[in-house]
Amino acid sequence: MKGLFVDTAGWVACADAAEPAHSKAVAGMDTWLQEGGVLITTDYVADETLTLLRVRFGLGTAEAWWQQVDGSPRLRWEYIGLARADKARGVFFRHRDKEYSFTDCTSFVVMRELKLREVLTTDHHFTQAGFVTLPN
């Protein structure tokens, strides 16, 4: 299985046609799926994405996004849970020179556990953490 992690910024870039990276993000996701890859995200990323879409565009847009991803056979959900949250707290407090969000840290933990290198995002924190970002 070829997995592509999708971060909040990646979901939003795909959902918002006004985002500068919109076309490249959609093309990157489409290409990944056409090549037989699977998308991977977490419950924490979904929390952030739903909230951001609601704040920017309203509840209808957030609901439409959820209906599109919920139950998709091309999307694998990873749940954070206590063990991953504990590891993420370690990352969060260890990197005092970075401005990583806690959700970023949970994503880093999942990506490292699953040995994922690539992430669909416009968030530079993933590059700082050593991952390859799409679109690049």
Side-chain angles (χ1 to χ4, degrees), residues 86-112:
D86 284 343
K87 289 178 186 175
R89 271 189 293 282
V91 174
F92 186 75
F93 292 119
R94 186 170 47 254
H95 294 279
R96 296 178 184 274
D97 61 325
K98 305 289 190 265
E99 294 183 359
Y100 298 154
S101 73
F102 185 70
T103 299
D104 287 346
C105 294
T106 64
S107 297
F108 301 161
V109 165
V110 168
M111 290 182 70
R112 288 183 181 123

Side-chain angles (χ1 to χ4, degrees), residues 4 22-33 39 120 134-135:
L4 174 66
H22 174 74
S23 295
K24 288 183 178 180
V26 170
M29 181 181 284
D30 288 348
T31 299
W32 194 273
L33 292 172
L39 306 177
L120 183 71
L134 303 175

Side-chain angles (χ1 to χ4, degrees), residues 40-89:
I40 300 170
T41 201
T42 70
D43 50 337
Y44 279 39
V45 168
D47 172 9
E48 259 190 352
T49 303
L50 284 167
T51 300
L52 188 55
L53 290 174
R54 181 179 186 163
V55 168
R56 282 194 188 176
F57 308 107
L59 191 57
T61 299
E63 184 175 22
W65 175 80
W66 180 254
Q67 289 175 353
Q68 184 178 359
V69 300
D70 185 38
S72 169
R74 303 300 301 273
L75 178 63
R76 175 175 155 187
W77 288 95
E78 290 291 328
Y79 296 91
I80 298 306
L82 294 175
R84 285 176 167 167
D86 284 343
K87 289 178 186 175
R89 271 189 293 282

